Amino acid sequence: MNLPSFIKQTALRSIAIFLVKAIGLAFRIPLFRILGAEGTGIYQIVYSIYGFTLTLISGGFPTSLALMTAKDKTRGWQFFRNMSIPFFVFGTGISLLCYVLAPYIAIFLGDDKLSIPIRFLAPALAIVPLLQLYRGFLQGLELYGIESASQLIEQIVRVITMLFLVIVWMKYGVHTSVGGAVFGAFTGALIALAFLWILYNRQKSPHFPLESGGHEIKSMRWLVFGPGLFWFIKSSLAITLTRLVVPASDFVDAIIIPSRLQVSGLSQSEAFAIFGEIFGMAATIVYMPTVITAALSFTIAPKLTADWENQKKREFVDRSNLSLEIGWFWGIGSIGFLLFHADELAMFIFGSSRAANAIRYLSFVPLITGMRELTTTMLWAADQKRIPLIGLLFGLVCSAASAYFLVAIPNFGHVGAAISVLVLESISLLWNASFLRKRCKGIFPLFPLLLSLTFLAAVVFLYPAFESFLFDIGAGSATIRSVGRILFLAICLILYLVLRFWRKLRLH
């Protein structure tokens, strides 16, 4: 079967992202067990600050650079070269500002000891934006192997640093230990950036042919007056605002949810623990399947941009629909797995079933988030960058309101927090889908999506019956029954995949 090139690239990208996530998850298992639910909650609060600030610095520049490079490699190279130093200087300034203001940020979040991990996180803000800009350029060149290798190196160094410092510094208290965990973001990014820089200096010609062509313009005047500047700035700002909404939502959750949990009658320690269970433990599990849709979105972005730029609307629609069906199918399968195996996942990874209910409440995240990412990429490729932003902003308002009112209800904290997450993703997805269907005739086909939902309903109906069947035939061991259920779900998914996509993939 001759698979389309972007499917092959997605598979390569998915494997790389899966390895990165798997390494992170493997090290997070002992990390969460050492820190406990409260320490995990502190870790997530600090990382919400990091995610928001990092997006504020780098924003949409790496993505815009990737899209520009996909259209014109020479222009992409010029922008990358001339933006690198200003990017690093700006990131360093924000890093120093974050270090100085750490005590005030900690007081604002309601725990003055948070200044310790915030200061340990500050150095990463100087390095990571430049690394992301470099990767955006590599994405535009479709050099996914190099980009993926840098991610693997970054993750390996990061998790080794995290685990080592958490163990060594645990005797100084949980806040210092969390500081050691977040410091890994700096060491990982530094080594990954050094790797790319060494690769660039040693292998300019095969990997960076633009510099060897003799047409490079090295002056800053080109950056100011060169072609495409207005498009680049406009595109970057729109993508920055869109990308900023999700980290902003995480930051708002870090402010609202622990405080509203205390309003419901919990102590600060208990509130941090529940926040850690939801956004540290459960979220780690439910967002794992999105590596596939993230990889798919990453690889189709340059291709969809080129299709739209060259007025190939039919190719744009066909490629988009195939991507949407794959993302929808993957999300449906992930929902089934998370719903039925939440207890086993929580026990295996965290050594406790406390996060099991939170995993079930958030089980729709892989489907909704994955489809939201794909539709956002399609709108960006079609030069409709304000549409995803508006949907996310509306979703953010509704999400914050949901969290504020629902989390404060006694014994409703887990459900209220999960609802706030799903509200943000659902509203933005529906907004994107409605505009995509208006913008491109034939895109976002409803029949295949409803067919997948019918399949999930059938599996949900058959799952308990299959478990009873296993018990009746003498499979008394819980482990055997669990493995049998996983195999049953996998077989159902494979059969559906073959029946639904075999002919379509052959045609591509």
Side-chain angles (χ1 to χ4, degrees):
M1 179 172 60
N2 187 22
L3 292 174
S5 61
F6 84 94
I7 296 293
K8 297 176 183 177
Q9 291 171 342
T10 298
L12 173 64
R13 177 70 179 167
S14 299
I15 292 171
I17 296 179
F18 176 78
L19 289 174
V20 170
K21 295 290 186 180
I23 292 169
L25 182 60
F27 277 81
R28 278 196 174 197
I29 293 172
L31 178 68
F32 286 156
R33 294 191 181 190
I34 295 170
L35 293 176
E38 181 183 359
T40 302
I42 295 171
Y43 177 87
Q44 289 303 129
I45 291 172
V46 174
Y47 245 89
S48 69
I49 301 170
Y50 171 68
F52 178 77
T53 309
L54 179 62
T55 307
L56 193 62
I57 298 171
S58 58
F61 288 100
T63 302
S64 289
L65 182 61
L67 298 177
M68 172 176 281
T69 306
K71 295 179 180 179
D72 187 327
K73 293 180 172 56
T74 302
R75 276 200 301 170
W77 172 246
Q78 301 301 329
F79 271 86
F80 169 66
R81 274 293 299 269
N82 289 295
M83 287 179 60
S84 297
I85 294 177
F87 229 62
F88 176 71
V89 171
F90 182 64
T92 302
I94 297 296
S95 174
L96 293 173
L97 188 64
C98 182
Y99 186 89
V100 172
L101 296 179
Y104 304 99
I105 298 172
I107 292 172
F108 176 72
L109 292 172
D111 184 0
D112 56 356
K113 292 183 180 179
L114 286 175
S115 62
I116 300 172
I118 292 173
R119 281 180 165 169
F120 276 110
L121 191 61
L125 297 173
I127 300 295
V128 177
L130 184 59
L131 178 62
Q132 290 184 339
L133 189 70
Y134 211 144
R135 286 173 175 162
F137 174 65
L138 294 175
Q139 180 189 358
L141 293 177
E142 299 189 39
L143 295 175
Y144 300 122
I146 299 173
E147 196 271 344
S148 299
S150 73
Q151 281 198 328
L152 284 171
I153 292 171
E154 179 188 12
Q155 183 72 317
I156 291 170
V157 175
R158 175 175 171 266
V159 297
I160 290 174
T161 304
M162 287 170 58
L163 197 57
F164 174 75
L165 292 181
V166 164
I167 294 173
V168 172
W169 289 353
M170 196 64 195
K171 60 185 177 182
Y172 300 113
V174 66
H175 290 82
T176 304
S177 186
V178 170
V182 298
F183 187 71
F186 169 73
T187 58
L190 183 64
I191 299 301
L193 187 61
F195 163 77
L196 291 176
W197 182 253
I198 292 170
L199 186 67
Y200 162 72
N201 282 294
R202 292 185 61 183
Q203 303 182 25
K204 288 181 182 179
S205 296
H207 292 299
F208 301 91
L210 300 173
E211 191 179 48
S212 61
H215 301 292
E216 182 181 1
I217 303 172
K218 297 184 178 180
S219 66
M220 283 297 293
R221 186 175 62 182
W222 190 95
L223 177 63
V224 178
F225 299 106
L229 177 64
F230 177 75
W231 177 90
F232 185 80
I233 294 176
K234 179 182 176 183
S235 172
S236 298
L237 289 176
I239 294 175
T240 296
L241 292 173
T242 304
R243 285 270 171 85
L244 196 60
V245 173
V246 174
S249 176
D250 294 338
F251 186 53
V252 169
D253 287 338
I255 297 172
I256 292 177
I257 291 177
S259 63
R260 298 301 288 174
L261 285 171
Q262 293 176 61
V263 171
S264 71
L266 301 177
S267 65
Q268 184 185 68
S269 178
E270 291 171 331
F272 281 171
I274 291 179
F275 187 82
E277 289 173 12
I278 300 169
F279 293 94
M281 297 178 175
T284 300
I285 301 300
V286 300
Y287 278 97
M288 273 292 290
T290 62
V291 299
I292 302 298
T293 45
L296 184 59
S297 177
F298 186 90
T299 53
I300 65 170
K303 300 179 186 300
L304 291 177
T305 301
D307 287 341
W308 191 266
E309 183 76 7
N310 296 322
Q311 300 296 315
K312 297 179 179 179
K313 298 295 179 65
R314 186 69 262 165
E315 288 84 349
F316 181 91
V317 170
D318 289 343
R319 205 188 302 270
S320 297
N321 282 341
L322 179 58
S323 303
L324 287 169
E325 286 194 55
I326 293 172
W328 187 268
F329 163 77
W330 180 254
I332 290 289
S334 301
I335 290 172
F337 184 78
L338 293 170
L339 279 174
F340 296 121
H341 298 280
D343 291 296
E344 294 98 316
L345 288 169
M347 284 298 300
F348 174 73
I349 296 175
F350 308 116
S352 169
S353 60
R354 291 182 60 179
N357 285 333
I359 293 172
R360 289 192 183 92
Y361 300 147
L362 293 172
S363 60
F364 280 80
V365 161
L367 174 63
I368 302 172
T369 300
M371 296 296 286
R372 194 260 303 164
E373 288 180 347
L374 288 171
T375 53
T376 297
T377 297
M378 291 164 193
L379 287 167
W380 284 348
D383 282 332
Q384 298 294 317
K385 298 181 176 65
R386 286 183 295 179
I387 292 173
L389 171 61
I390 295 171
L392 279 170
L393 287 174
F394 184 50
L396 174 61
V397 173
C398 296
S399 174
S402 300
Y404 185 84
F405 291 107
L406 296 178
V407 172
I409 300 174
N411 301 318
F412 202 68
H414 288 84
V415 178
I419 289 174
S420 70
V421 173
L422 295 174
V423 163
L424 170 67
E425 301 287 359
S426 300
I427 290 176
S428 56
L429 169 59
L430 292 173
W431 184 270
N432 288 353
S434 63
F435 275 89
L436 266 177
R437 287 176 61 82
K438 291 178 183 177
R439 181 72 174 174
C440 300
K441 186 177 180 181
I443 207 168
F444 213 99
L446 294 180
F447 175 74
L449 307 186
L450 292 174
L451 191 64
S452 299
L453 281 177
T454 304
F455 160 77
L456 176 63
V459 172
V460 170
F461 177 77
L462 293 174
Y463 220 68
F466 181 75
E467 186 174 13
S468 300
F469 169 75
L470 290 176
F471 189 81
D472 291 339
I473 63 175
S477 171
T479 303
I480 294 176
R481 291 201 306 274
S482 180
V483 172
R485 288 185 298 163
I486 292 174
L487 290 174
F488 172 75
L489 179 61
I491 291 171
C492 290
L493 292 174
I494 292 171
L495 287 174
Y496 180 84
L497 175 65
V498 170
L499 293 173
R500 178 64 194 155
F501 294 109
W502 181 267
R503 184 171 177 270
K504 181 167 290 190
L505 288 175
R506 286 189 57 139
L507 290 176
H508 280 74

